[in-house]
Amino acid sequence: MTGNGSLPTMKDVARSAGVALGTVSKVFNNIPVGDSYRQRVLEAADRLGYQVNNYARGLKTNRTYAVAFIVPNLELPFFAILTQNICQALERRGYRMILALTDFSPDTEQSCVRMAQQNKVDGIIGLTYNPNLHLKDSIPFVSFDRYFSSSIPCVASDNFGGGQMAAEKLIELGCRKLLFLRIGSSVSGETDKRGDGFEVCCRAKGFPCDSLRLFNEDGYEPFKEFLAAHIHDGKLDYDGIFCASDGLAMAIRANLAEWGILVPRDVQIIGFDGIPVWGSGLPCSTIVQPVAQLAETCVDIVLKEDRTEQPSLICLPVCYASGGTTRDS
Amino acid sequence: MTGNGSLPTMKDVARSAGVALGTVSKVFNNIPVGDSYRQRVLEAADRLGYQVNNYARGLKTNRTYAVAFIVPNLELPFFAILTQNICQALERRGYRMILALTDFSPDTEQSCVRMAQQNKVDGIIGLTYNPNLHLKDSIPFVSFDRYFSSSIPCVASDNFGGGQMAAEKLIELGCRKLLFLRIGSSVSGETDKRGDGFEVCCRAKGFPCDSLRLFNEDGYEPFKEFLAAHIHDGKLDYDGIFCASDGLAMAIRANLAEWGILVPRDVQIIGFDGIPVWGSGLPCSTIVQPVAQLAETCVDIVLKEDRTEQPSLICLPVCYASGGTTRDS
DNA sequence: ACAGGTACGTGAAACATTTCATCCACACAA
DNA sequence: TTGTGTGGATGAAATGTTTCACGTACCTGT
């Protein structure tokens, strides 16, 4: 017994095992050590209940095996699942995640970055919106879904392609009066491309396409007004709607139901994200983001040793999946 | 300029400001320092882009302002929202969260605890199932929803009361043939109490009550068989179902729909959790858990300095909320 | 038997902080 | 003028690791 009440250190283990400090260190770093020594060290460590102190280790090595993930919240199923996949990808590589929530506040985003820097994380993955985040270039940063500049790697789904895909599908299903709906803040980023792809495709095929942006985060009140203005004699002006997210699609469907307009009977809807909830399949027909690969890619890039020749934008393919809000199944 | 390429340290700041090391330390710890000194230090720090190194600080002080949260995954909306609330409660107090996912594996739970210990977290909040987790008693541990022993504080909803509440409500709505459904692993914990409360109440009021436990995590196949056996001439043997979670309730509803049995027309369903998803309200009528207070309580307890006289079980009240799967609105 | 080489154990220095015993300078009282 | 007290700056020690230059012991070949 070393006697004092605090936790055992390497020094205690060394003393107890009758070896030098450096030898203990080597054992816990998988550096070759004579078998008898290794054994004695492990026994002593076990006896004392020794555990490596990562704070001392990190101080010395400047590697912490921690990565910060910055995300607005976990209410949106897509955010939650993305967080889960990134956390798992990190754990698989022996890293751990420091979770930082911003609630979409640019100031909070900045302070999360500061926190991460003070904590000497080995990298930061950010689902952030602040266009002029101040980053120390000594810490690798990967942006999810928002492209800031060529010096900041960005991992995203093929949003443009997804929009095209949605348009093609709706047209193929016979829709002729098309609408794109998106919701959210003014700082857009990649998400707008979903609408761009949709519009480009509609126009190319010669069908009219309206586009509406809803600014009210909750409640969808602006949509209600819009709906009221576009329903005549119980019939909607549109027969195909592409929503920028599944959540929006679900809200729209609920809203339309109040007018007696049924999905997919009267209008077909395609959402975006493709996260199953409640274990009962997709919430709607949708463009599915490859969450697992997105997460894996973010982690790969942020942990990459060689930071020269990093691609600045990585775009992963999406796919269409039927989920009950289109008439195709 | 200090010259070497690495990050500036307190020593650099001290030199640049022309003050002693200890003075710089005091400035960044809000310990009284002469105004002119303070100013000079802050300017120098700003000039050099200095940031406190939390690893050195943590090594010296043994406080890290980090708390580990151990949870199976973020797929279940309840887990995701709980994680969010705990993370926010921590951030409000100047702490950060290390997120550790277990996918329900007892071994992973244990290794998460080990990881947390090595990382010198100030506390651990665990939504774990392993009944014999090996914990260092030097780190405060709070268990969410599972009671292990009187020495480990447990924070939970009033599951028993919630079960009673569900029974009372269904009976009040005229249901007479009642069923309780739960899903999940054999290691149960507090969750079983939902069923207990339900059964006790049904029995007390003199109505029959069946109870079924589904072991298959995904797919709900066992429930399908059970359903088939209890539907005669398109009519279900039950007119009121209490599900141990909203996710299960949603799956049941979908299953019943395939048999032409509509909710709440033919049978009324009450779930458990009460997490809104897709921003469009509750998924079903449900017993709502007070997630925000649960999170707040966990954090309060795990960070409490005085660890004597801690309650071993804290039980927070739930409430019923109508969400479309009962005929009461 | 001895030189040279190899494998590996040793312990001090370094990492960036906090803390504490000292010390200084100034003010005020006698 | 001198002695005392005080607010506050100082810098060395300590925190638990890793790393590296060094030293020792053993082995091999001639």
Side-chain angles (χ1 to χ4, degrees), chain B residues 162-171 173 175 179-181 198 239-246 248-250 263 267-273 284-288 319-323 325-328:
Chain B
Q164 286 183 300
M165 215 176 263
E168 276 167 14
K169 194 71 200 180
L170 286 175
I171 291 169
L173 291 171
C175 300
L179 172 66
F180 170 66
L181 283 176
F198 187 75
D239 56 4
I241 304 180
F242 173 45
C243 296
S245 76
D246 290 345
L248 184 53
M250 298 307 284
V263 179
V267 53
Q268 308 197 49
I269 295 184
I270 294 182
F272 207 104
D273 284 347
C284 56
S285 296
T286 189
I287 306 296
V288 183
C319 70
Y320 168 81
S322 173
T325 54
T326 46
R327 278 192 303 263
D328 51 357

Side-chain angles (χ1 to χ4, degrees), chain A residues 35-82:
Chain A
D35 277 346
S36 68
Y37 279 81
R38 152 165 276 106
Q39 185 126 354
R40 265 196 290 160
V41 168
L42 290 177
E43 276 169 11
D46 213 61
R47 195 180 326 129
L48 303 178
Y50 169 76
Q51 295 205 173
V52 173
N53 180 331
N54 274 344
Y55 269 71
R57 175 178 279 184
L59 172 60
K60 190 63 185 140
T61 60
N62 262 321
R63 307 207 75 227
T64 59
Y65 295 92
V67 166
F69 179 53
I70 306 178
V71 66
N73 63 45
L74 303 181
E75 276 161 38
L76 277 61
F78 181 73
F79 288 167
I81 294 298
L82 180 67

Side-chain angles (χ1 to χ4, degrees), chain A residues 88-109:
Chain A
Q88 288 167 338
L90 286 170
E91 285 178 355
R92 249 176 271 132
R93 290 165 175 75
Y95 285 73
R96 58 189 183 285
M97 174 192 278
I98 296 181
L99 180 62
L101 303 180
T102 66
D103 199 24
F104 295 100
S105 149
D107 288 349
T108 310
E109 289 176 358

Side-chain angles (χ1 to χ4, degrees), chain B residues 220-298:
Chain B
Y220 303 104
E221 291 308 325
F223 179 73
K224 284 194 170 162
E225 287 169 28
F226 179 81
L227 265 191
H230 287 267
I231 294 179
H232 304 102
D233 306 327
K235 280 192 71 77
L236 184 65
D237 290 349
Y238 304 97
D239 56 4
I241 304 180
F242 173 45
C243 296
S245 76
D246 290 345
L248 184 53
M250 298 307 284
I252 297 311
R253 192 232 284 258
N255 256 293
L256 288 171
E258 290 176 14
W259 291 83
I261 298 174
L262 292 187
V263 179
R265 192 193 63 187
D266 306 318
V267 53
Q268 308 197 49
I269 295 184
I270 294 182
F272 207 104
D273 284 347
I275 306 296
V277 171
W278 302 131
S280 32
L282 292 173
C284 56
S285 296
T286 189
I287 306 296
V288 183
Q289 298 202 55
V291 199
Q293 290 103 293
L294 288 165
E296 203 74 30
T297 308
C298 286

